[in-house]
Amino acid sequence: MPPGQAVVPTRPPQPLDNVGTRYRVLLEEVDEELERCGRPRGSVTIVGVSKKQPAERVRAAIADGLADVAENYLQEARAKFALLPPTLKHFIGHLQTNKAAAVASLFDVVQSVDRVEAARALSKAAQQLEKELRILVQVNVSSGERFGCPPERAQELAEAVLAQRGLRLDGLMAIGPITHDRSKISRSFELAAKTFACIGGSTLSIGMSGDWPLAVRAGSTMIRIGTALFGGRQTT
Ligand SMILES: *Cc1c(COP(=O)(O)O)cnc(C)c1O
């Protein structure tokens, strides 16, 4: 700084400045939960759910080490990813078969394959792109949830994914019930874990901002975190 120049006071911290810190704090909290469960530190991947979040918040978390980002909506994802440095991109929204080609080209992982037709459409697109997509089958483990294949049909769906070229079956994704009843949430996660054990793979994607500790106790290897990482979502 040239002599005599006034020191510009640093502006007070803004909410956005805390996002990176929140990622590190969350990472530490997850590791502490893992230790309490007797599981190794670092055995859960945090995926930042960036839907309805401004790109700068996501960039701040990426600068702090966040490597995986998830979006629910194709159009929003396309616009936002263009503003982000490279990350591993997860699609977690409901998959319409007519959007499969676009999803396959934009994303690396599709967590929401809940029926054979979706797997077929992604396979066709992946082959055209000469790309291999990581696939999680989405299983419905809570009565309030609209999407996801019934647990008793998960194995059949997993086999259908395995049979498709261009797709690599990597595990299971499920959404816990929206309730304050923790034992109900745990039961849903245990059902997800049991179903995951039947189909195999390396990724059990369960747990969100409100319920991730219960998911980690049930064996989650991937938690999908929006508000607890980036703050409240834009409502427009
Ligand atoms: C929105 C969303 C999340 C993240 O939700 P938060 O409660 O904000 O952490 C995770 N998974 C799916 C499938 C979602 O749609």
Side-chain angles (χ1 to χ4, degrees):
M1 185 168 58
Q5 187 175 315
V7 175
V8 180
T10 52
R11 72 194 166 98
Q14 303 293 310
L16 288 187
D17 299 337
N18 295 329
V19 171
T21 315
R22 247 185 256 169
Y23 173 71
R24 268 178 283 154
V25 169
L26 180 63
L27 203 58
E28 183 53 34
E29 287 172 352
V30 171
D31 277 340
E32 284 166 11
E33 188 60 50
L34 281 165
E35 274 181 350
R36 277 193 287 274
C37 306
R39 297 180 55 194
R41 290 172 75 92
S43 55
V44 165
T45 300
I46 298 173
V47 176
V49 177
S50 59
K51 67 166 175 241
K52 298 196 169 74
Q53 299 285 359
E56 58 266 31
R57 291 190 187 176
V58 188
R59 267 204 304 269
I62 291 171
D64 235 48
L66 179 73
D68 293 70
V69 171
E71 279 281 349
N72 297 58
Y73 306 104
L74 188 59
Q75 268 196 318
E76 186 186 344
R78 208 181 263 133
K80 202 170 304 164
F81 289 160
L83 303 172
L84 300 179
T87 61
L88 201 68
K89 300 174 180 69
H90 300 247
F91 185 73
I92 56 171
H94 179 61
L95 183 67
Q96 296 167 271
T97 48
N98 64 344
K99 302 277 171 60
V103 167
S105 86
L106 194 57
F107 290 87
D108 307 293
V109 186
V110 181
Q111 300 204 8
S112 46
V113 172
D114 63 356
R115 59 202 195 285
V116 177
E117 304 83 77
R120 280 205 197 101
L122 284 174
S123 164
K124 191 173 155 213
Q127 287 178 75
Q128 266 158 9
L129 293 159
E130 296 182 19
K131 173 174 181 176
E132 188 182 62
L133 284 174
R134 250 173 88 186
I135 301 292
L136 303 184
V137 295
Q138 183 179 351
V139 175
N140 189 323
V141 292
S142 24
S143 49
E145 184 52 34
R146 275 170 70 202
F147 301 116
C149 114
E152 61 275 15
R153 302 198 52 191
Q155 182 124 30
E156 192 184 319
L157 176 60
E159 279 162 17
V161 170
L162 275 173
Q164 301 291 328
R165 294 168 65 177
L167 306 186
R168 180 158 59 84
L169 178 66
D170 190 39
L172 181 152
M173 184 273 264
I175 300 172
I178 302 166
T179 170
H180 293 295
D181 183 345
R182 291 159 60 86
S183 65
K184 194 171 174 191
I185 297 171
S186 289
R187 279 198 303 277
S188 289
F189 286 156
E190 280 151 21
L191 176 58
K194 196 176 126 207
T195 312
F196 171 62
C198 295
I199 68 168
S202 57
T203 303
L204 174 58
S205 173
I206 50 173
M208 307 183 4
S209 292
D211 57 18
W212 67 261
L214 298 176
V216 168
R217 270 169 246 168
S220 174
T221 70
M222 179 176 280
I223 58 177
R224 309 176 309 272
I225 308 295
T227 49
L229 187 56
F230 302 121
R233 281 188 271 275
Q234 292 164 326
T235 47
T236 48

